[in-house]
């Protein structure tokens, strides 16, 4: 991994802390629920760290990372990857102390209870997608226990005061209080998967939802946390979250959280034609390919594996798209019903042709044409974009200049490799190309005549 040695070395020391005593039930939860999502390396690292802390204590002795490499029998890179996966899943907190040497403190967090795990909107969906319906139901049944409801019973439990009393003779020799840095053993509750509220723009969401439509009091902390998780899970932007939220408002002006989850899932399935999203981590993510230049194979992989919003962000060097651009993308997805990978090609094509502006009119014009043609894949969209670009270049060479002044301001397009055709030199002899050129020129002449008559 590039830059790994700047972050961690085998000689760097670490200590391990437990955030509360862990139990065999926790080990079962890790093996059956978390390992399918994180992989064996991550769970092995968790278990080794757990075993390094002696029983009935909460902290290990200091050791070097070479110790972990020897115990697990894997290189430091795999340990680092396993570590960050545990961090992302909320099972590990990492602290760093710098000085003459670096020292890490790894604090193991308990896993979620089975109930909390299966009720989590992200983890339950990712596990279902990973292991399939049959195995998912089998695991769920493993953690379900039956017990009799006590609705027909009357509680007769006695209170403390019914059983005990104080004689008010307090011993002058009370036990010393627990000092800083010490703690009684305890069982901690898991915080679960941590979501970053800053990654979701609630101001943009509220801008499209009036108080009359969705009362602000309905958006409690728990509801907001669910909105962020669902946005992350299904790749829904602030614009795309509005309709699911509106559809989940009850007559009592509250958010039905189960209805919100279903509405977001329906929106995702309509957009992606896929049943459920899969969990990916950044080590698996294809490196973003710059629009200009880039090999066709790399670009295809990039366009197939990223959302239109992400492609536009990458094209804008990390700048978040404007509301108008997000609405345009939403229109292409839901109204034009173009696949994401086709929209991604369309975005690159339009940006190249319009000096990096996502022009609404031109984008919709090309989108309508591609809908009529029936483009379904990035490969088909690339082929059509190449043909369009050839026609455009031919038009310019064939006297398509509107004015001398305008010709001087036309930008010389720098094209990605997928725009280049291996037979560009022979295009004049290509019968299909000559037909397309003739059609293009006739259409241009007709448009000019119509414009003159008007």
């Amino acid at each position: 991994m590039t830059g790994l040695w700047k972050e961690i070395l085998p000689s760097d020391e670490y200590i391990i802390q437990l955030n509360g005593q862990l139990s065999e039930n926790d080990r079962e939860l890790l093996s059956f629920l978390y390992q399918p999502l994180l992989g064996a390396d991550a769970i092995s690292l968790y278990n080794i760290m757990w075993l390094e802390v002696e029983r009935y204590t909460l902290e290990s002795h200091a050791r070097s990372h070479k110790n972990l490499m020897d115990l697990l029998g894997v290189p430091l890179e795999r340990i680092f990857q396993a570590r960050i996966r545990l961090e992302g899943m909320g099972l590990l907190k990492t602290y760093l102390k710098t000085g003459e040497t670096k020292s890490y403190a790894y604090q193991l967090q308990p896993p979620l209870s089975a109930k909390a795990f299966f009720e989590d909107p992200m983890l339950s969906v990712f596990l279902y997608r990973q292991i399939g319906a049959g195995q998912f139901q089998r695991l769920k049944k493993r953690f379900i226990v039956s017990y009799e409801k006590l609705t027909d019973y009357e509680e007769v439990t006695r209170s403390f005061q019914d059983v005990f009393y104080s004689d008010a003779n307090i011993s002058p020799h009370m036990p010393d209080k627990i000092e800083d840095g010490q703690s009684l053993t305890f069982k901690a509750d898991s915080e679960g998967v941590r979501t970053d509220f800053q990654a979701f723009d609630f101001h943009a969401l509220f801008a499209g939802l009036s108080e009359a439509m969705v009362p602000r009091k309905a958006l409690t902390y728990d509801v907001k946390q669910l909105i962020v998780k669902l946005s992350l899970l299904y790749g829904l932007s602030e614009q795309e979250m509005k309709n699911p939220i509106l559809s989940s408002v009850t007559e009592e002006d509250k958010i039905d959280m189960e209805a919100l989850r279903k509405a977001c899932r329906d929106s995702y399935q309509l957009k992606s034609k896929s049943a459920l999203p899969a969990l990916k981590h950044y080590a698996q993510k294809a490196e973003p390919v710059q629009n200009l230049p880039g090999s066709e194979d790399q670009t295809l992989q990039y366009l197939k594996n990223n959302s239109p919003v992400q492609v536009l962000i990458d094209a804008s060097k990390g700048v978040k798209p404007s509301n108008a651009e997000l609405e345009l993308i939403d229109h292409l997805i839901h109204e034009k019903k173009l696949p994401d990978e086709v929209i991604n090609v369309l975005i690159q094509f339009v940006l190249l042709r319009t000096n990096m502006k996502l022009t609404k009119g031109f984008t919709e014009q090309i989108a309508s044409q591609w809908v009529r043609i029936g483009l379904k894949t990035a490969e088909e969209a690339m082929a059509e974009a190449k043909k369009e670009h050839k026609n455009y270049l031919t038009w310019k060479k064939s006297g398509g200049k509107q004015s001398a002044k305008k010709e001087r301001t036309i930008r010389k397009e720098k094209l990605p490799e997928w725009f280049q055709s291996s037979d560009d030199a022979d295009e004049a002899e290509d019968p299909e190309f000559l037909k397309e050129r003739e059609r293009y020129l006739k259409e241009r002449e007709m448009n000019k005549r119509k414009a003159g008559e008007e």
Side-chain angles (χ1 to χ4, degrees):
M1 176 187 296
T2 305
L4 172 66
W5 305 110
K6 295 180 181 178
E7 178 146 0
I8 191 169
L9 293 169
S11 59
D12 290 341
E13 287 193 341
Y14 69 90
I15 60 169
I16 299 166
Q17 287 186 347
L18 302 184
N19 184 16
Q21 289 289 330
L22 299 172
S23 67
E24 285 304 310
N25 181 61
D26 292 322
R27 198 183 301 277
E28 191 173 357
L29 292 167
L30 290 165
S31 298
F32 286 107
L33 303 185
Y34 284 90
Q35 184 162 314
L37 300 179
L38 295 177
D41 279 359
I43 301 304
S44 295
L45 177 60
Y46 188 102
N47 286 329
I48 284 292
M49 287 182 167
W50 180 0
L51 291 171
E52 284 212 64
V53 181
E54 295 179 7
R55 187 172 293 185
Y56 306 121
T57 64
L58 294 176
E59 186 173 286
S60 72
H61 300 293
R63 295 180 175 89
S64 72
H65 282 80
K66 180 66 166 60
N67 175 64
L68 285 177
M69 295 168 66
D70 293 337
L71 290 174
L72 291 169
V74 297
L76 187 60
E77 180 177 341
R78 282 178 59 180
I79 292 174
F80 179 75
Q81 283 292 340
R83 189 195 95 185
I84 61 178
R85 291 189 197 187
L86 291 172
E87 291 172 2
M89 196 57 74
L91 294 173
L92 181 69
K93 290 184 179 180
T94 301
Y95 301 88
L96 173 63
K97 180 172 67 176
T98 55
E100 293 183 5
T101 59
K102 288 195 299 185
S103 180
Y104 288 87
Y106 297 131
Q107 189 180 79
L108 293 182
Q109 308 298 311
L112 286 170
S113 66
K115 181 177 185 295
F117 187 99
F118 283 107
E119 289 178 352
D120 187 279
M122 290 201 305
L123 297 181
S124 56
V125 168
F126 286 141
L127 183 64
Y128 185 96
R129 173 67 188 273
Q130 181 69 22
I131 64 177
Q135 184 78 324
F136 181 86
Q137 292 301 330
R138 188 186 73 80
L139 281 181
K140 200 169 183 180
K141 287 179 182 177
R142 181 186 182 92
F143 294 101
I144 291 176
V145 293
S146 300
Y147 61 93
E148 184 180 358
K149 292 187 177 180
L150 304 180
T151 52
D152 296 331
Y153 292 77
E154 176 187 358
E155 184 176 3
V156 293
T157 307
R158 290 170 173 78
S159 68
F160 178 87
Q161 293 93 327
D162 291 334
V163 181
F164 303 101
Y165 71 96
S166 169
D167 65 2
N169 292 322
I170 300 175
S171 169
H173 303 293
M174 292 292 292
D176 293 334
K177 68 176 183 178
I178 298 173
E179 299 178 359
D180 291 340
Q182 295 180 326
S183 174
L184 294 171
T185 57
F186 63 98
K187 171 68 175 176
D189 292 325
S190 174
E191 297 178 4
V193 177
R194 301 173 66 182
T195 50
D196 185 3
F197 273 42
Q198 295 180 348
F200 189 89
D201 189 349
F202 278 97
H203 293 293
L205 177 67
F206 294 155
L209 294 174
S210 68
E211 178 76 21
M213 297 164 68
V214 181
R216 296 297 178 260
K217 66 180 182 180
L219 297 171
T220 63
Y221 177 82
D222 288 340
V223 170
K224 286 184 176 180
Q225 193 172 50
L226 179 62
I227 288 172
V228 174
K229 285 188 174 183
L230 291 173
S231 170
L232 175 64
L233 171 64
Y234 294 116
L236 300 176
S237 67
E238 290 83 354
Q239 297 290 330
E240 293 169 324
M241 284 297 300
K242 290 177 184 175
N243 287 336
I245 291 173
L246 284 171
S247 68
S248 62
V249 178
T250 66
E251 294 180 356
E252 294 79 23
D253 286 337
K254 294 181 179 180
I255 300 293
D256 184 330
M257 296 174 77
E258 190 58 38
L260 178 58
R261 290 169 65 165
K262 184 179 184 303
C264 289
R265 183 171 64 249
D266 292 343
S267 179
Y268 168 80
Q269 291 173 343
L270 180 66
K271 178 178 73 170
S272 67
K273 309 295 188 297
S274 175
L276 291 171
L279 179 65
K280 299 288 184 182
H281 56 87
Y282 281 99
Q284 295 172 318
K285 185 177 179 182
E287 288 295 322
V289 179
Q290 297 299 320
N291 288 331
L292 308 169
S295 72
E296 186 163 337
D297 287 342
Q298 284 181 313
T299 306
L300 264 175
Q301 184 185 15
Y302 170 63
L303 296 174
K304 285 176 176 291
N305 294 333
N306 285 276
S307 68
V309 173
Q310 186 59 51
V311 169
L312 189 55
I313 290 173
D314 292 340
S316 307
K317 298 180 179 177
V319 177
K320 191 172 183 179
S322 66
N323 287 337
E325 290 172 331
L326 291 173
E327 287 174 3
L328 177 56
I329 290 175
D330 184 72
H331 176 73
L332 296 175
I333 293 170
H334 294 104
E335 299 298 326
K336 299 296 185 184
K337 300 192 184 306
L338 285 170
D340 280 9
E341 58 190 85
V342 174
I343 295 173
N344 291 341
V345 176
L346 176 60
I347 289 171
Q348 287 200 340
F349 177 66
V350 171
L351 291 177
L352 288 165
R353 284 285 299 274
T354 58
N355 198 20
M356 301 306 288
K357 296 176 184 175
L358 195 63
T359 310
K360 185 174 187 289
F362 182 60
T363 304
E364 290 187 339
Q365 181 184 2
I366 299 296
S368 297
Q369 179 193 3
W370 288 9
V371 169
R372 288 192 292 271
I373 294 172
L375 302 184
K376 298 296 182 186
T377 66
E379 291 89 344
E380 294 173 351
M382 281 183 173
E384 186 62 28
K386 289 178 187 178
K387 189 163 65 174
E388 282 290 329
H389 188 67
K390 279 184 179 180
N391 294 340
Y392 170 66
L393 291 179
T394 303
W395 172 73
K396 282 173 59 176
K397 292 176 184 176
S398 304
K401 315 176 188 69
Q402 294 181 12
S403 70
K405 181 178 179 182
K406 188 149 191 173
E407 176 66 19
R408 284 195 300 272
T409 60
I410 291 176
R411 183 175 64 92
K412 175 71 174 176
E413 288 88 355
K414 185 182 179 185
L415 302 174
E417 286 186 19
W418 68 264
F419 245 52
Q420 311 292 344
S421 175
S422 59
D423 58 353
D424 278 349
D426 300 321
E427 63 186 16
E429 285 74 39
D430 184 353
E432 279 298 314
F433 176 76
L434 293 174
K435 279 185 189 177
E436 281 296 322
R437 174 183 173 184
E438 190 67 26
R439 180 195 64 77
Y440 195 90
L441 292 174
K442 283 182 181 178
E443 190 174 297
R444 182 176 63 85
E445 285 300 320
M446 290 175 61
N447 290 337
K448 284 175 67 177
R449 281 199 214 99
K450 287 181 183 177
E453 291 171 359
E454 292 173 357

